[in-house]
Amino acid sequence: MAGSSIMENLFQRTLEDLIKGMRLQLIGESTFISKATEEIRREIKSTDHHTKSTALLKLCYLSAVHGVDMSWACFHVVEVMSSSRFAQKRIGYHAASQSFHDDTPVLLLITNQLRKDLSSANHFEVSLALECLSRIATPDLARDLTPELFNLLSTARVFVRKKAIAVVLRLFDKYPDAVRVCFKRLVENLESSDPQVVTAVIGVFCELAAKDPRSYLPLAPEFYRILVDSKNNWILIKVLKVFAKLAPLEPRLGKRIVEPVCEHMRRSGAKSLVFECVRTVLTSLSGYESAVKLAVEKVRELVDDQDPNLRYLALHVLSVAVPEHLWAVLENKEAVIKSLSDEDSNIKIESLRLLMAMVSESHLADISRVLLNYALKSDPEFCNEILGSILTTCGRNVYEIVDDFDWYVSLLGEMATIPNCQKGEEIETQLVDIGMRVRDARMQLVQVGRDLLIDPALLGNVHLHRILCAAAWVAGEYVEVASNPFELMDALLQPRTSLLPPSIRAVYINAAFKILIFCLDCYLLQNEGTASLDSGNLAGGQSELFSVKNDTEAAELATCEGSKYEQDAGFNPRNTTESFDDLSAENGIERVATHDQTITPTFVEKKNFMHESIVNLLNRIELIFGPLIANQDVDVLERAQNMLSLVLLIKGENDNSFQDVDKKDTRVSAIIKLMRDAFTMELGPVSTSAQGRVAVPDGLVLKENLGDLHAICGDIELPSSSSFSTAGPHLTATSDASSSNPLINEESGALNESTSLIEHRKRHGLYYLPSEKSEIVTDEYPPANDPKSNSNINDEASELVKLTEQSLLLKKRTNQTKPRPVVVKLDDGDVAPISVQRPEPRGDSLSGAIKDVLLGSETGPSMSQSNPYDKSSRKQKEKKKLGTNVQSEMKENVVDAEKPDSENPNSSGKNHGHTRERRHRGKEKIVEGEEHDQRGKKKSGHRHSRRKTHQRAKSPLNVVSQTPEIPDFLL
Amino acid sequence: MGIRFVLMVNKQGQTRLAQYYEYLTLEERRALEGEIVRKCLARNEHKCSFVEHRNYKIVYRRYASLFFLVGVDDGENELAILEFIHLLVETMDRHFGNVCELDIMFHLEKVHFMLEEMVVNGCIVETSKANILTPVQLLDKTS
């Protein structure tokens, strides 16, 4: 056995061999690693400690650098940890801290080993155990080893004391009751003269205060002393962080520290410290004008620095100042805007955030315009950052800062046509949302929707599908304000819609359905009184139709404003289809005449739903939707089927109309009216809490466990959550838009696209609506909104500077041309208002325990190991030891902190005796005693130690009295 | 916890040292390292040394072929962390003399030892080069 271990030892590869082997290996890294791991598995079982520890060392290396699993070796780790040789023990401890975690089974086995090493005379061993404990401590380990750590907190060996202090943080986290034992000593370390100890302890308090600052207010005097006295930048930075947390809680504290902080800011040559001072002032001392001015001055130095790090930090810290000191940002606006074209995307994003923070109602439009131009020229990532921040800024609190919705809706449309736009989902949501909330914006919305729908180039862009979906929905829902429903219909029926994913196609079909109903309805209303639907007397009928005043529709639409001159003129020839060219020309002339007369022409007034156009529309729908009956998607198929059925029904009626006009006509109108009524009910935004207000119907079991269902239909893909919520029966299609895969569709679409398109054009000739686009004959659509190369980015920058300069005045636009339209808002939170929410102070056990210790409250978790008597005496002892920093008295402390405490040293002793006498008389008395004690409070270590020994003598019972091997408490 | 992890990665993206101050599984570590390395190594020296990633802030610095990446909480002072990195490099340089990637590869446990002296439980506890190196040198002498 001995022989074999020597042989193992001799022929074992060391870590260095392993690393060298790895560099020279020819068999491939993974093979090499698995071979080496096999070797280690063999070696680690050796009885020879050296072989075992070397094997473990190699395993650690492989695990850390190459990600090899080492959890299987945990028992060997424990063995190596217990080695008597330091070098081997070190390997064991390192392996433990690297691989152990809360669920490692062998953790229970190492408690004693850790205890032994923590109490070792060799401080390197203690340090190993501490290091390990800081990484793997569980509640159990923390509880069992608290006494050892307590001892180490006041050891004379600074080398281990500073580490013990750092470990206490984890101890408190895992075992809050340890606070009662250790907190006092931790606080004592604040007064240490050793900078290493102070570095460690202030680091711990910085972390503790970040979680629950209020509990540490009583310690402010100690922190203040460090702030004033310390010369070490590491310590100063940490103590500034502590004050940044404490100052907002206690106004008088801010007054106290503002001067020393400014002093550091002026004096220090270390950028890190200056920056920390700036950050502290801007976050926590923003009420002190002179300090803020100084801080902003420093920021200005940083923001123009050569070093990108400083520029980034300066911008970052400026964003902190925005809510209270917008002027600070405005003063630096040129640098901010310059950063918008910085090389570093992180800096660009920071400056964008700042810029959006500067935006006010009056200059939203101008700044958005410039930013949009930036977006056109930026790389895709930053472009989308810009778009995203415009969208969130404008959409905040239900479009709070948007005054002009016509402008905003057009802006959304413009964003959609930016080539790199990937914000489809957000734009979609806002388009639909505005449609539902802002009645006055609907006309513009439909117009924007039309422009998007009509452009065949957009259909090929996957990212835009969601926007098109919203546009289609808007077009269908608010068709009554459309300038030309036929044109919308053409857009919805164009052949490239085959590129859309089925769910969005379904929305298209539904929108087309609504438009068709609208057209038919209008047609029928126009023809009221003229019983004939005969196509033979079309000419006569037409002139008749022109004169028909459609009372209801006109009244309904009279409210809608907007001049559609150019648009209408441009589309004149397309109103009716080709075969009726002559008619439409005639038609157009008359319409132009109408334009001249009326200032606000609406579609129904000026255009007429002629029999021909309706018949043509029906034919077209039949032709296009015919093939869709065979579509694989259920949604598309069903909707197409509905549409076709309706068309066939109406056509059937029409055919028969020659014979039996009256009867049939009424039947058709009845159907159309019914449909129309179904669609006219307006949709509104839905409150997030709406679902809760619906009473659960009887017999509906909601709490049934549906776990079994998963086994049956586990492979069925659930539809993703809806992107916008709307009420109404015909909206389901929009909600599952994301569940389909647009890529597949596009692929298949691309194959037959060209042939079908050409064929389609042949058949329908002028299918594509805008006459100005007729020159596009190739299948290659130019990308929408080509970035203009001639505009100069510097011009943009200067323009932006000018704009923000105007917004500096921060005055509202006085010459507003029209009032802000009504935006529907639900009172009970349809959207959660975006506001900065302060985190609730955590009522967890840690802060509870700290409060107990610092403030002497009697309600806290009990020590698990002590009996009731122990507990109470222990608690009281802690209170006394701390000098009872009652929160209210702290303020006085802050003020007095600098004054040397000139009270008679004897008084503390007297006081103490006083309180001790009263200790068991009841709570009120104790509090009173504490107040006495407070007056005698002094910061000399001498007095502390005196009192400490005194305390110990008087309270022989303590927490760990059940573990007799720790005598330290009694000393 | 201020410092959450310290990574040393060469410019090929291979991890040379990984020290975590919170427990992550091997898969989580590998994923995290991959993402961070991709993000940071793509940046050039004209860009700032701070990258936000998940809930971390990464402060990194490049020395020759080696990147030093430190993951910190959001509240940490970035410039102080840069100084910390520089201190670490200077300390290694003093010990190894003209420290290079190979020194770190072959003496990984020593570098770990130095780091353990400097950082305990995510808190910086030691900033003096001499103090950091004392135990390392002692260990060298005894073995």
Side-chain angles (χ1 to χ4, degrees):
Chain A
M1 192 65 203
S4 76
S5 72
I6 290 169
M7 289 299 280
E8 274 173 8
N9 205 341
L10 274 177
F11 290 103
Q12 188 182 24
R13 286 203 284 183
T14 63
L15 177 60
E16 198 171 326
D17 296 335
L18 180 78
I19 297 167
K20 278 183 184 153
M22 181 86 79
R23 285 161 65 79
L24 301 171
Q25 47 84 15
L26 298 167
I27 51 176
E29 196 171 80
S30 59
T31 331
F32 185 85
I33 289 171
S34 58
K35 271 191 166 180
T37 317
E38 277 314 302
E39 204 173 83
I40 289 165
R41 275 178 187 274
R42 217 169 40 243
E43 291 164 3
I44 209 165
K45 293 195 187 100
S46 159
T47 49
D48 178 60
H49 283 298
H50 186 263
T51 315
K52 200 185 197 67
S53 60
T54 308
L56 189 60
L57 182 63
K58 289 193 285 186
L59 186 59
C60 280
Y61 176 85
L62 289 180
S63 172
V65 175
H66 297 281
V68 173
D69 175 48
M70 64 179 289
S71 57
W72 56 270
C74 59
F75 194 75
H76 301 287
V77 172
V78 177
E79 282 182 307
V80 178
M81 273 168 83
S82 62
S83 164
S84 55
R85 297 195 53 188
F86 181 76
Q88 290 169 9
K89 191 190 273 292
R90 217 195 97 70
I91 294 169
Y93 269 110
H94 181 72
S97 37
Q98 189 179 317
S99 65
F100 284 10
H101 53 98
D102 287 0
D103 299 329
T104 305
V106 297
L107 272 185
L108 294 169
L109 302 175
I110 62 169
T111 315
N112 274 320
Q113 181 65 45
L114 280 168
R115 184 175 290 148
K116 190 171 143 244
D117 288 326
L118 284 174
S119 326
S120 163
N122 179 343
H123 57 258
F124 293 111
E125 280 181 5
V126 182
S127 135
L128 281 185
L130 283 173
E131 164 68 22
C132 181
L133 196 60
S134 80
R135 305 269 288 278
I136 66 169
T138 58
D140 283 347
L141 276 174
R143 188 193 59 223
D144 295 342
L145 298 169
T146 298
E148 278 74 18
L149 269 167
F150 175 76
N151 290 344
L152 290 171
L153 281 179
S154 58
T155 174
R157 297 175 291 182
V158 171
F159 180 75
V160 289
R161 174 138 60 119
K162 66 184 186 200
K163 292 188 179 177
I165 290 166
V167 176
V168 161
L169 188 60
R170 172 127 186 165
L171 198 68
F172 286 178
D173 188 35
K174 295 286 173 190
Y175 178 61
D177 278 358
V179 171
R180 289 169 215 286
V181 185
C182 299
F183 198 73
K184 168 72 170 62
R185 284 205 175 169
L186 193 63
V187 173
E188 277 171 7
N189 278 307
L190 274 175
E191 293 163 32
S192 165
S193 57
D194 192 306
Q196 289 168 277
V197 171
V198 181
T199 310
V201 76
I202 200 72
V204 169
F205 275 110
C206 184
E207 297 305 321
L208 287 173
K211 285 181 190 137
D212 173 33
R214 196 166 282 282
S215 304
Y216 304 93
L217 271 174
L219 295 171
E222 332 278 341
F223 295 137
Y224 180 81
R225 193 182 44 75
I226 294 172
L227 178 69
V228 175
D229 293 348
S230 181
K231 297 277 172 287
N232 183 322
N233 287 346
W234 298 94
I235 295 173
L236 285 172
I237 287 171
K238 288 285 177 188
V239 87
L240 279 169
K241 283 191 181 298
V242 174
F243 274 121
K245 292 283 186 307
L246 297 187
L249 302 174
E250 174 52 64
R252 273 176 277 184
L253 191 58
K255 208 153 101 191
R256 195 79 197 151
I257 61 167
V258 68
E259 199 32 55
V261 171
C262 289
E263 197 54 29
H264 282 305
M265 202 158 24
R266 273 185 224 109
R267 289 255 181 92
S268 178
K271 285 267 182 351
S272 53
L273 180 58
V274 172
F275 176 68
E276 197 59 50
C277 290
V278 169
R279 184 147 64 183
T280 307
V281 168
L282 291 182
T283 51
S284 307
L285 302 171
S286 52
Y288 299 88
E289 204 62 34
S290 61
V292 172
K293 276 207 179 101
L294 184 64
V296 172
E297 211 172 284
K298 291 284 173 190
V299 170
R300 200 172 312 138
E301 285 170 25
L302 297 179
V303 92
D304 287 326
D305 203 279
Q306 287 292 304
D307 186 352
N309 291 339
L310 297 180
R311 284 208 305 273
Y312 171 82
L313 291 176
L315 291 174
H316 197 76
V317 83
L318 269 182
S319 64
V320 174
V322 166
E324 288 185 53
H325 299 286
L326 196 58
W327 61 269
V329 186
L330 294 170
E331 260 183 35
N332 290 300
K333 61 183 177 306
E334 282 177 40
V336 172
I337 290 155
K338 210 175 80 193
S339 310
L340 212 53
S341 35
D342 200 279
E343 187 183 351
D344 186 350
S345 57
N346 289 0
I347 293 178
K348 285 200 287 192
I349 288 168
E350 284 299 328
S351 67
L352 178 64
R353 277 181 204 161
L354 272 176
L355 203 62
M356 290 325 284
M358 284 191 258
V359 167
S360 64
E361 283 101 331
S362 45
H363 294 92
L364 179 67
D366 301 326
I367 290 183
S368 301
R369 157 92 14 249
V370 179
L371 278 178
L372 221 55
N373 285 343
Y374 260 91
L376 276 171
K377 279 170 263 170
S378 318
D379 54 304
E381 199 187 337
F382 189 56
C383 169
N384 282 299
E385 282 289 340
I386 292 178
L387 297 185
S389 61
I390 294 178
L391 287 170
T392 35
T393 309
C394 294
R396 197 187 295 137
N397 291 339
V398 200
Y399 313 100
E400 199 175 44
I401 62 167
V402 180
D403 274 337
D404 183 354
F405 275 90
D406 286 352
W407 160 78
Y408 186 55
V409 167
S410 337
L411 186 80
L412 287 178
E414 228 173 293
M415 282 187 192
T417 50
I418 289 177
N420 291 323
C421 174
Q422 288 166 12
K423 293 280 170 196
E425 217 162 303
E426 288 89 337
I427 296 175
E428 175 200 27
T429 314
Q430 292 203 355
L431 282 176
V432 174
D433 198 41
I434 291 173
M436 288 189 297
R437 287 177 195 276
V438 193
R439 184 187 286 272
D440 295 353
R442 282 177 193 162
M443 193 151 189
Q444 180 66 18
L445 202 58
V446 172
Q447 189 56 39
V448 167
R450 169 210 162 266
D451 292 346
L452 291 173
L453 291 172
I454 230 164
D455 188 349
L458 300 181
L459 283 161
N461 186 343
V462 190
H463 297 297
L464 295 184
H465 286 170
R466 303 294 300 265
I467 302 171
L468 292 174
C469 172
W473 182 81
V474 163
E477 188 61 27
Y478 305 116
V479 62
E480 72 267 11
V481 294
S483 57
N484 188 342
F486 289 104
E487 185 183 282
L488 281 176
M489 195 62 134
D490 284 339
L492 290 172
L493 298 181
Q494 60 178 295
R496 268 172 76 95
T497 52
S498 61
L499 298 175
L500 292 168
S503 54
I504 292 171
R505 263 202 115 172
V507 178
Y508 263 63
I509 298 170
N510 218 30
F513 191 73
K514 285 190 217 168
I515 295 172
L516 177 64
I517 294 291
F518 174 77
C519 292
L520 289 172
D521 187 48
C522 289
Y523 173 64
L524 287 175
L525 282 171
Q526 277 177 336
N527 285 322
E528 263 169 26
T530 59
S532 173
L533 286 173
D534 193 351
S535 60
N537 62 352
L538 183 83
Q542 198 186 344
S543 55
E544 205 175 11
L545 291 182
F546 269 108
S547 60
V548 170
K549 271 279 175 193
N550 191 325
D551 301 322
T552 49
E553 288 291 325
E556 194 180 298
L557 295 170
T559 50
C560 302
E561 319 175 47
S563 52
K564 304 279 173 254
Y565 282 89
E566 304 92 337
Q567 228 90 46
D568 292 335
F571 287 118
N572 277 344
R574 209 112 298 116
N575 273 331
T576 48
T577 42
E578 285 229 281
S579 50
F580 295 95
D581 257 344
D582 48 342
L583 279 173
S584 68
E586 199 181 289
N587 207 354
I589 292 160
E590 248 185 276
R591 224 180 300 115
V592 171
T594 328
H595 284 318
D596 295 334
Q597 286 157 9
T598 55
I599 296 162
T600 56
T602 57
F603 177 74
V604 183
E605 279 174 321
K606 62 191 195 263
K607 272 174 258 170
N608 287 282
F609 295 88
M610 287 157 299
H611 189 96
E612 269 62 30
S613 56
I614 295 287
V615 168
N616 213 284
L617 189 66
L618 292 176
N619 283 337
R620 187 128 42 87
I621 290 168
E622 200 180 356
L623 184 77
I624 288 165
F625 285 163
L628 289 180
I629 299 297
N631 196 290
Q632 290 203 322
D633 189 84
V634 191
D635 255 340
V636 174
L637 187 138
E638 192 183 335
R639 279 150 209 253
Q641 185 71 59
N642 287 347
M643 187 89 159
L644 271 183
S645 311
L646 180 76
V647 170
L648 288 178
L649 181 79
I650 292 162
K651 281 187 95 174
E653 301 292 346
N654 268 347
D655 288 344
N656 295 338
S657 65
F658 292 103
Q659 285 94 39
D660 195 356
V661 169
D662 295 331
K663 209 173 107 196
K664 297 292 178 186
D665 186 36
T666 45
R667 247 190 83 188
V668 173
S669 359
I671 293 167
I672 300 299
K673 281 227 171 66
L674 197 71
M675 297 268 196
R676 202 252 341 243
D677 291 346
F679 288 141
T680 42
M681 204 162 72
E682 192 163 309
L683 300 168
V686 180
S687 160
T688 44
S689 59
Q691 179 96 54
R693 278 186 256 129
V694 180
V696 178
D698 289 337
L700 180 63
V701 188
L702 283 178
K703 304 232 162 101
E704 187 94 339
N705 185 6
L706 296 177
D708 300 341
L709 211 60
H710 191 72
I712 303 164
C713 49
D715 50 342
I716 295 174
E717 206 179 304
L718 288 170
S720 56
S721 62
S722 68
S723 52
F724 54 83
S725 52
T726 46
H730 53 290
L731 279 171
T732 39
T734 52
S735 59
D736 59 355
S738 56
S739 62
S740 58
N741 188 349
L743 282 176
I744 292 171
N745 200 289
E746 191 177 39
E747 239 174 32
S748 63
L751 283 175
N752 53 20
E753 170 190 26
S754 50
T755 49
S756 73
L757 197 73
I758 291 161
E759 207 179 291
H760 203 94
R761 284 224 180 87
K762 251 183 225 159
R763 205 181 303 158
H764 292 282
L766 287 160
Y767 201 81
Y768 289 95
L769 311 149
S771 47
E772 64 267 24
K773 281 198 178 158
S774 56
E775 72 268 16
I776 304 168
V777 280
T778 58
D779 195 37
E780 298 282 310
Y781 294 102
N785 219 342
D786 238 345
K788 291 144 211 118
S789 50
N790 54 355
S791 47
N792 188 350
I793 203 147
N794 287 328
D795 293 347
E796 301 281 350
S798 57
E799 193 181 335
L800 205 53
V801 172
K802 230 163 43 201
L803 284 172
T804 45
E805 197 136 19
Q806 288 160 7
S807 75
L808 174 63
L809 304 170
L810 286 175
K811 61 174 183 198
K812 290 220 169 193
R813 213 170 356 176
T814 45
N815 56 342
Q816 232 165 12
T817 44
K818 51 182 166 176
R820 185 170 193 262
V822 181
V823 180
V824 180
K825 254 191 201 177
L826 302 176
D827 29 342
D828 59 338
D830 46 335
V831 281
I834 299 148
S835 59
V836 184
Q837 281 191 333
R838 291 197 150 273
E840 292 285 310
R842 294 194 314 168
D844 65 342
S845 47
L846 177 59
S847 60
I850 286 161
K851 275 190 189 122
D852 285 352
V853 174
L854 276 169
L855 307 177
S857 126
E858 291 288 327
T859 56
S862 60
M863 299 293 287
S864 41
Q865 283 193 343
S866 56
N867 63 44
Y869 180 71
D870 270 353
K871 189 170 67 186
S872 60
S873 73
R874 171 85 209 152
K875 248 182 222 162
Q876 284 162 15
K877 193 185 86 177
E878 284 296 329
K879 274 186 284 172
K880 295 292 163 295
K881 274 173 138 189
L882 263 170
T884 59
N885 291 307
V886 180
Q887 197 173 348
S888 58
E889 288 153 4
M890 187 279 316
K891 296 157 193 168
E892 166 191 326
N893 253 346
V894 175
V895 181
D896 291 339
E898 268 188 309
K899 294 184 202 158
D901 201 333
S902 57
E903 289 235 17
N904 183 358
N906 290 335
S907 73
S908 76
K910 218 164 62 189
N911 266 335
H912 185 76
H914 191 56
T915 54
R916 187 165 47 82
E917 270 172 25
R918 296 179 175 196
R919 185 177 291 158
H920 299 293
R921 286 197 203 157
K923 203 179 176 222
E924 288 173 30
K925 288 290 179 193
I926 290 170
V927 173
E928 191 191 314
E930 283 167 0
E931 280 163 6
H932 282 294
D933 210 293
Q934 179 67 26
R935 274 194 274 121
K937 193 185 172 205
K938 213 183 151 185
K939 280 175 192 53
S940 83
H942 171 66
R943 184 172 150 271
H944 268 293
S945 60
R946 264 190 43 190
R947 285 185 55 198
K948 213 187 299 165
T949 49
H950 196 72
Q951 282 288 343
R952 282 177 191 153
K954 291 296 166 193
S955 48
L957 291 168
N958 60 56
V959 204
V960 278
S961 55
Q962 286 146 333
T963 48
E965 72 269 28
I966 303 109
D968 199 77
F969 279 92
L970 302 170
L971 293 174
Chain B
M1 193 186 303
I3 296 178
R4 309 269 281 268
F5 57 82
V6 177
L7 290 177
M8 296 183 199
V9 178
N10 69 9
K11 64 180 176 194
Q12 283 82 39
Q14 295 166 304
T15 309
R16 286 299 174 222
L17 176 141
Q19 174 87 321
Y20 290 86
Y21 297 95
E22 61 188 344
Y23 181 76
L24 295 175
T25 65
L26 281 174
E27 288 72 37
E28 288 167 337
R29 289 181 191 194
R30 204 175 306 166
L32 183 70
E33 284 171 29
E35 291 162 19
I36 292 172
V37 166
R38 254 196 307 283
K39 254 190 181 172
C40 295
L41 267 59
R43 299 169 61 82
N44 62 26
E45 64 265 43
H46 303 300
K47 298 185 177 182
C48 70
S49 311
F50 317 117
V51 178
E52 279 170 34
H53 183 74
R54 298 200 206 169
N55 48 344
Y56 302 108
K57 186 178 282 175
I58 317 290
V59 179
Y60 73 95
R61 197 159 182 166
R62 184 180 169 167
Y63 288 89
S65 63
L66 210 54
F67 284 84
F68 292 73
L69 308 124
V70 180
V72 294
D73 283 335
D74 198 43
E76 201 63 34
N77 186 310
E78 296 87 348
L79 295 172
I81 297 297
L82 278 181
E83 279 172 48
F84 163 77
I85 293 175
H86 192 66
L87 177 72
L88 175 64
V89 176
E90 280 183 343
T91 312
M92 288 194 295
D93 199 57
R94 181 184 288 192
H95 183 74
F96 296 113
N98 266 333
V99 65
C100 68
E101 194 184 329
L102 283 181
D103 288 319
I104 294 167
M105 275 180 78
F106 284 104
H107 302 282
L108 194 62
E109 76 280 8
K110 277 187 198 163
V111 181
H112 269 298
F113 210 172
M114 292 175 206
L115 257 180
E116 280 167 23
E117 285 306 313
M118 295 173 77
V119 183
V120 177
N121 198 20
C123 296
I124 297 172
V125 294
E126 183 57 78
T127 51
S128 139
K129 272 174 260 182
N131 286 344
I132 296 165
L133 288 175
T134 319
V136 184
Q137 281 156 352
L138 263 173
L139 192 69
D140 270 0
K141 257 179 233 167
T142 50
S143 57

